[in-house]
């Protein structure tokens, strides 16, 4: 007995946008997860989005409820460009989107997915079983967080991944080393400093490559670097406008582009706070770490650092073996590419018929666009077309 035609796992921008596009009439759809949970609990309070206002959204089929509409309704400051979007505003907007367009959403965590004759069986944390013909995994990136090998195996009160922290007030009065050279590292470092922590930032890079602040763009610059939702440049325009063409490129080329496009670059608006309040250890690698008296002693290639806590802002890498809810049989049957991400058809379907992955797990297949919330627009539209 099948309970639903489509089950979506995860209620972030991708899951919610897909649900808004695929919703009844005509098909049964269930979506599981707490709306915007990653943004509410796994990103630092006080953060501003890296993506511009016009590129930060969730997507209903008629394009009626963009961030600009929400801000207008609430009388909140908004600009397509140049005005950083507060995390709290984006999270509130996502929750309002869920209330308006995804009334069928259900709180609850999926703890297992098993293949059965008519599709899949989903086991919920409370033991409920849901049978679905198709499953769309929109589970985001938090299961894929990476901690460098040198820092692994230490207790979480000494070393943790930044995605474990939303409220940074507990670090007031502590000394913290943030490891990484990208936007997350700079965001966490700036917010830790503002929260009253003595903050160090350790990066292998010779310097932090902050984005340029908004400025008047002359004709020449606009022609050379046209705007796109993921940043300026002709390559970015191609990746955002034609993800389906990107999908047709040879695998090795796709992986190289997704890996190399848009290197780590902190936002312009945290630059001042970082430069004034954070000690940056550039061209530095951590070669060893030891724990003494509840503090961490870091051996750097160019010095020594003693801190209360090490925060790894060292990114994410799709690795299906880390998804506990994908059972052993499915793990064996999902074909992956050389980068460890699932191989996907043009409708985001894995080698297991009826099982789909969207969001960052689909970036090797469809390009850098899928690493950003704005990729949910293309994704939801594509799913809606494929499931007609
Ligand atoms: C610090 C930081 C800053 C970022 N800033 C930006 C930005 O400014 N702009 C931008 O476009 N992107 C940004 N990103 C990238 C951002 O993560 C993605 O754009 C976006 O979250 C992708 O949406 P999603 O729906 O795929 O994932 P998510 O928003 O992570 O949603 C996935 C949801 O699935 C839920 N889930 C997972 N497993 C289960 C399960 N088994 N059962 C039920 N629910 C489950 C999770 O709780 C989560 O709520 C940022 C990422 C980080 C880490």
């Amino acid at each position: 007995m099948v309970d639903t035609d489509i089950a979506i796992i995860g209620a972030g921008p991708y899951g919610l946008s897909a649900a808004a596009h695929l919703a009844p009439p005509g098909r049964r759809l269930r979506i599981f997860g707490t709306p915007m949970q990653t943004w509410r609990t796994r990103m630092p309070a006080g953060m501003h989005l890296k993506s511009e206002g016009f590129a930060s959204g969730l997507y209903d089929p008629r394009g009626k409820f963009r961030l600009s509409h929400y801000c207008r309704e609430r009388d909140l400051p908004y600009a397509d460009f140049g005005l950083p979007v507060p995390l709290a505003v984006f999270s509130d907007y996502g929750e309002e989107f869920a209330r308006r367009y995804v009334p069928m959403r259900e709180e609850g965590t999926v703890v297992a997915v098993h293949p059965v004759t008519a599709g899949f069986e989903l086991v919920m944390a409370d033991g409920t079983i849901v049978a679905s013909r198709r499953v769309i995994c929109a589970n985001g990136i938090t299961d894929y967080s990476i901690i460098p090998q040198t820092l692994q195996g230490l207790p979480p009160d000494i070393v943790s991944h930044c995605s474990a922290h939303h409220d940074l007030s507990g670090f007031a009065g502590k000394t913290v080393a943030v490891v990484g050279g990208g936007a997350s590292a700079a965001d966490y470092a700036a917010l830790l400093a503002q929260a009253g922590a003595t903050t160090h930032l350790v990066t292998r890079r010779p310097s932090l490559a902050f984005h340029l602040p908004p400025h008047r763009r002359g004709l020449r610059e606009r022609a050379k670097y046209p705007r796109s939702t993921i940043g300026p440049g002709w390559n970015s325009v191609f990746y955002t406008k034609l993800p389906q063409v990107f999908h047709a490129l040879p695998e090795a080329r796709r992986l190289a582009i997704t890996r190399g496009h848009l290197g780590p670059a902190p936002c312009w608006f945290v630059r001042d706070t970082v430069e004034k309040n954070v000690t940056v250890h550039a061209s530095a690698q951590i070669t060893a770490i030891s724990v003494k008296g509840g503090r961490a002693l870091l051996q750097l290639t160019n010095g020594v650092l003693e801190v209360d806590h090490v925060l790894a802002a060292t990114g994410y890498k799709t690795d299906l073996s880390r998804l506990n809810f994908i059972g052993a049989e499915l793990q064996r049957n999902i074909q992956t590419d050389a980068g460890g991400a699932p191989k996907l058809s043009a409708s985001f379907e894995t080698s297991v018929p009826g099982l789909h992955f969207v969001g960052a797990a689909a970036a090797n297949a469809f390009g850098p666009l899928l690493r950003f919330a704005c990729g949910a627009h293309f994704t939801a539209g594509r799913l809606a077309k494929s499931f007609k």
Side-chain angles (χ1 to χ4, degrees), residues 11-268:
Y14 279 78
L16 292 169
S17 302
H21 278 70
L22 298 169
R27 58 166 77 86
R28 293 167 299 171
L29 174 107
R30 295 176 74 173
I31 169 168
F32 303 103
T34 305
M36 304 301 281
Q37 191 172 36
T38 301
W39 302 78
R40 283 269 184 237
T41 62
R42 304 297 208 107
M43 296 185 191
M47 183 189 99
H48 287 77
L49 268 59
K50 187 176 180 181
S51 49
E52 297 279 5
F54 84 105
S56 304
L58 285 82
Y59 302 89
D60 59 285
R62 298 210 278 162
K64 290 219 161 205
F65 194 53
R66 306 297 308 275
L67 181 61
S68 54
H69 300 120
Y70 174 78
C71 289
R72 204 174 310 129
E73 277 179 19
R74 306 280 158 127
D75 210 9
L76 295 168
Y78 172 85
D80 279 345
F81 301 99
L83 183 66
V85 178
L87 175 63
V89 170
F90 189 66
S91 307
D92 290 347
Y93 155 67
E95 286 178 359
E96 184 57 27
F97 181 97
R99 273 190 287 276
R100 294 190 191 187
Y101 293 95
V102 193
M104 77 298 280
R105 67 194 183 277
E106 297 170 52
E107 299 275 333
T109 304
V110 177
V111 293
V113 178
H114 303 295
V116 292
T117 324
F120 303 89
E121 208 171 69
L122 281 69
V123 184
M124 304 302 298
D126 65 3
T128 316
I129 307 275
V130 176
S132 180
R133 282 187 211 288
R134 285 185 189 278
V135 172
I136 299 174
C137 299
N139 52 286
I141 51 174
T142 46
D143 283 310
Y144 307 130
S145 60
I146 304 171
I147 294 190
Q149 204 155 12
T150 331
L151 301 177
Q152 286 174 13
L154 290 157
D157 58 327
I158 297 288
V159 176
S160 59
H161 192 270
C162 61
S163 60
H165 303 280
H166 173 67
D167 176 3
L168 303 180
S169 60
F171 289 107
K174 302 242 164 89
T175 304
V176 182
V178 178
V179 182
S184 280
D187 282 348
Y188 272 92
L191 290 162
L192 280 163
Q194 283 171 347
T198 303
T199 310
H200 297 261
L201 191 149
V202 179
T203 175
R204 288 180 299 193
R205 301 186 169 264
S207 62
L208 295 173
F210 289 97
H211 276 292
L212 288 178
H215 56 282
R216 241 186 127 71
R217 285 158 44 94
L219 194 62
R220 212 180 141 85
E221 188 180 345
R222 279 184 280 149
K224 213 167 163 193
Y225 303 104
R227 272 190 172 130
S228 84
T229 48
I230 63 171
W234 283 105
N235 285 354
S236 293
V237 170
F238 169 70
Y239 302 143
T240 51
K241 297 281 182 206
L242 295 170
Q244 67 279 33
V245 176
F246 184 95
H247 181 258
L249 296 174
E251 179 183 307
R253 183 106 187 86
R254 283 188 278 110
L255 266 59
I257 293 171
T258 302
R259 202 172 31 242
H261 191 61
L262 307 175
C267 300
W268 57 270

